[in-house]
Amino acid sequence: MHPPADYEQMLRESDLRVTRPRVAVLAAVHRHPHADTETVIAAAREDLDDVSHQAVYDVLRALTAAGLVRRIQPSGALARYEARVGDNHHHVVCRSCGTIADVDCAVGHVPCLTASDDHGFTIDEAEVVYWGLCPACSNPPDQHHPDQHQPARQGQPVGRKRETDDRQQ
Amino acid sequence: MHPPADYEQMLRESDLRVTRPRVAVLAAVHRHPHADTETVIAAAREDLDDVSHQAVYDVLRALTAAGLVRRIQPSGALARYEARVGDNHHHVVCRSCGTIADVDCAVGHVPCLTASDDHGFTIDEAEVVYWGLCPACSNPPDQHHPDQHQPARQGQPVGRKRETDDRQQ
DNA sequence: AACGGTTCTTGAATCATTCAAGAAAGTGCG
DNA sequence: CGCACTTTCTTGAATGATTCAAGAACCGTT
């Protein structure tokens, strides 16, 4: 998506030291939008065989603090990261399979930043999460997802990787 | 806030068995809006000395599924519960101390339910979280909160109870 | 090239939440 | 009212994403 040099420059422009774990993680997040940490670790290891998971956690935190990536964490789901930053876009989350898609702000730019009554808070960001069912989960053409098509009243997104265990914390 | 009988009736109307843990937890959530699980457990035990934490977890799940309480979980924070349901209101969260306040929908009723491009998703809910600083944290009149008044660029809300440890998961 | 501070590696700990199995309690029925 | 059936609660242990800690390796600078 970008040549490695670009990632190095992004890091330098944010006053972050350029290290191989950082370049690998930044590239991984660019390659896999909305990936959870486990996926980012795996993707980073494609570039850098033996990055420790701890390094990835540290890097994700540094990149997030620097604004190079954005951390999103829909209610009840694991943390996910994306590289599209600075444009105040939002997300749709599938209640059934947990898939996330980007949604541009519906109400104009720097939108809903005006709450009806802000209770004296100094608001600097409005985060919108749309909940629903993705195309695949809302019209089950064949039996691919046998038993997960009753959208629970207050259902939480279920995991994607593990087959038998969708514990969440 | 309500006489116990009201809670019993709410439960029955939702086809839930009326048990003492359920009444205690429902009352606790009504008494403590936006409380995390630990707080709900403590509050429930005011009414019912020795409810197990597991029972509270079970009850909160049942109440949430029934729509009697709503579970909210701002990015990076612990799960919290509130009894105000069915009116699609939103929340402001203080980045510094984690305080949550209610905010009525800014853009009319059943609002932002129209995403600009829904990617084929069937959207049934739009959840809005406003991030910022609460009055107490944004104008520090005295030195009550010595070192937590630099709103980190992507800061997460910090815990409220523990003094030395604000780990979050 | 060496220094000093930052970042990585390795390995262990944390803790909210969940799982499991048996006991207790709630509800409908005779 | 008391029984049977099912759901819910109690007790106690497990889970697993994330964090902590200490020392080694690395980055940018003097």
Side-chain angles (χ1 to χ4, degrees):
Chain A
M1 215 162 204
H2 291 274
D6 287 4
Y7 297 122
E8 294 185 21
Q9 190 179 355
M10 292 180 201
L11 290 168
R12 277 188 229 282
E13 285 173 357
S14 298
D15 285 310
L16 292 177
R17 288 190 178 180
V18 176
T19 68
R20 289 199 291 170
R22 284 180 175 174
V23 174
V25 169
L26 188 49
V29 175
H30 274 263
R31 260 183 281 130
H32 298 83
H34 310 138
D36 60 20
T37 311
E38 184 187 0
T39 304
V40 173
I41 293 174
R45 286 183 175 155
E46 291 171 12
D47 291 355
L48 191 59
D49 271 0
D50 46 3
V51 224
S52 65
H53 75 130
Q54 181 61 64
V56 175
Y57 274 98
D58 287 348
V59 169
L60 285 173
R61 171 180 298 205
L63 296 181
T64 302
L68 288 179
V69 307
R70 178 173 161 199
R71 174 189 168 124
I72 55 187
Q73 186 174 19
S75 221
L78 298 180
R80 286 156 176 264
Y81 295 88
E82 67 181 356
R84 185 177 160 191
V85 293
D87 67 341
N88 190 273
H89 72 276
H90 305 305
H91 298 102
V92 220
V93 183
C94 177
R95 288 191 197 277
S96 174
C97 68
T99 298
I100 297 181
D102 287 342
V103 172
D104 291 306
C105 194
V107 204
H109 352 268
V110 189
C112 336
L113 260 184
T114 38
S116 52
D117 173 5
D118 62 12
H119 290 268
F121 277 62
T122 308
I123 296 176
D124 62 60
E125 182 186 351
E127 185 185 2
V128 182
V129 176
Y130 297 97
W131 292 93
L133 292 177
C134 70
C137 289
S138 51
N139 26 296
D142 38 46
Q143 303 312 87
H144 279 157
H145 300 279
D147 54 20
Q148 48 182 356
H149 285 288
Q150 320 89 28
R153 200 114 155 11
Q154 280 286 338
Q156 300 295 343
V158 296
R160 346 44 343 260
K161 290 283 152 46
R162 293 175 237 76
E163 319 256 71
T164 58
D165 177 1
D166 60 50
R167 182 182 312 93
Q168 64 202 20
Q169 46 179 341
Chain B
M1 212 165 205
H2 291 273
D6 286 4
Y7 298 122
E8 294 185 22
Q9 190 179 355
M10 292 181 201
L11 289 168
R12 278 189 229 283
E13 285 173 358
S14 298
D15 285 310
L16 292 177
R17 288 189 179 180
V18 176
T19 68
R20 289 198 293 171
R22 284 182 175 173
V23 174
V25 169
L26 189 49
V29 174
H30 275 261
R31 260 183 282 129
H32 297 84
H34 310 138
D36 59 22
T37 310
E38 185 186 0
T39 304
V40 173
I41 293 174
R45 286 184 176 154
E46 292 170 13
D47 292 355
L48 190 58
D49 272 359
D50 46 1
V51 225
S52 66
H53 74 129
Q54 182 61 64
V56 176
Y57 274 98
D58 287 348
V59 170
L60 284 173
R61 171 179 299 204
L63 297 182
T64 303
L68 288 179
V69 307
R70 178 172 162 200
R71 174 191 168 123
I72 56 188
Q73 185 174 21
S75 221
L78 298 181
R80 286 156 176 266
Y81 295 87
E82 66 181 357
R84 184 177 160 192
V85 294
D87 68 342
N88 189 272
H89 70 277
H90 304 306
H91 299 102
V92 221
V93 184
C94 177
R95 288 190 196 280
S96 175
C97 67
T99 297
I100 297 182
D102 286 343
V103 173
D104 290 306
C105 195
V107 203
H109 354 268
V110 188
C112 336
L113 260 185
T114 39
S116 52
D117 174 5
D118 63 12
H119 291 268
F121 278 62
T122 308
I123 297 176
D124 61 62
E125 183 187 352
E127 186 185 3
V128 182
V129 177
Y130 296 96
W131 291 93
L133 291 178
C134 71
C137 289
S138 52
N139 26 293
D142 38 47
Q143 303 313 86
H144 280 158
H145 302 276
D147 54 19
Q148 46 182 357
H149 285 289
Q150 320 92 31
R153 201 117 153 12
Q154 279 286 341
Q156 301 295 345
V158 296
R160 339 65 320 269
K161 292 284 153 46
R162 292 174 239 78
E163 318 255 69
T164 58
D165 177 359
D166 60 50
R167 180 184 312 95
Q168 66 203 20
Q169 46 178 341

